[in-house]
Amino acid sequence: NALLLVEGETPAYVHEWDNIVYAVLPGRLVAVDTKEKDPEEAVQTLAEGTFTSLQIVNEKLWYTTKKGLYYCDFDGENTVKVLGKKMKDAFLVGDKVFYLDPSDDNKAHVCSLLTEADTCLTDETVESFFLGSRNYAYYIAERETVEEVTDEEEADAEEAAEDTAEEASEEVSDEEL
């Protein structure tokens, strides 16, 4: 509640560690000390920018921006750039990062942090996804609808294919003469 009351903004990503709530607000990454009684003192801006994900892994804040994947200490210091790929909604699992790729029509990808090998996981544009138990990935995507072909359309297509085959056969016969 303190974050919403103090800032008046809805956070995009929220995580908690040792009574500190870390959140992405529009234009900045903040830490909210839940033990602090004074709401004005509770919120500390750790970094400014456009953040597209936030996760706590190995006692570090991992986040993405338009310029790539980073991690830093809980106080926002010692920032390290890990990958220079555009990423959205990134999730780290072991030595891999699962994410949506804005430069590939928001398709889900997985990238090795060791080799930077990148694999597209979906054919569709993904609206959102999450990793569940046993590292299963679940996603929401709009699938293209397949139009039903009527019997009449199918017959027309077959007739057109036969006509094309006959014309090709006639051309070969004329050339042989």
Side-chain angles (χ1 to χ4, degrees), residues 13-174:
Y13 303 92
V14 179
H15 293 279
E16 183 272 337
W17 185 269
D18 196 27
N19 293 317
I20 305 290
V21 173
Y22 298 91
V24 170
L25 296 176
R28 62 194 181 131
L29 172 62
V30 300
V32 181
D33 185 346
T34 60
K35 296 177 286 183
E36 177 62 51
K37 300 295 182 202
D38 182 2
E40 295 298 319
E41 297 293 321
V43 179
Q44 176 188 1
T45 297
L46 302 177
E48 294 186 357
T50 303
F51 299 90
T52 58
S53 69
L54 174 66
Q55 187 176 2
I56 297 175
V57 177
N58 296 329
E59 298 187 26
K60 299 284 184 190
L61 296 174
W62 288 74
Y63 60 88
T64 54
T65 70
K66 293 178 182 180
K67 296 181 180 180
L69 173 68
Y70 300 82
Y71 69 82
C72 67
D73 294 336
F74 287 127
D75 60 2
E77 298 295 320
N78 301 314
T79 300
V80 175
K81 186 174 189 174
V82 179
L83 292 172
K85 298 174 176 281
K86 286 186 176 183
M87 297 181 166
K88 185 176 149 189
D89 296 338
F91 294 98
L92 278 84
V93 178
D95 64 350
K96 294 181 174 60
V97 59
F98 293 81
Y99 68 99
L100 299 182
D101 188 344
S103 60
D104 188 17
D105 201 26
N106 250 21
K107 293 178 181 168
H109 282 242
V110 62
C111 182
S112 167
L113 295 177
L114 302 175
T115 65
E116 294 191 24
D118 192 282
T119 304
C120 182
L121 300 174
T122 61
D123 295 329
E124 305 89 14
T125 297
V126 175
E127 297 298 321
S128 68
F129 80 102
F130 68 94
L131 299 177
S133 63
R134 298 187 193 143
N135 294 332
Y136 287 121
Y138 299 90
Y139 64 93
I140 299 170
E142 280 192 39
R143 293 191 182 244
E144 293 183 22
T145 56
V146 178
E147 294 182 26
E148 289 187 32
V149 177
T150 64
D151 290 339
E152 185 178 322
E153 291 172 326
E154 190 172 320
D156 289 346
E158 287 176 10
E159 186 178 323
E162 288 173 8
D163 290 345
T164 302
E166 284 177 22
E167 289 172 10
S169 175
E170 287 174 8
E171 287 177 14
V172 170
S173 297
D174 291 342

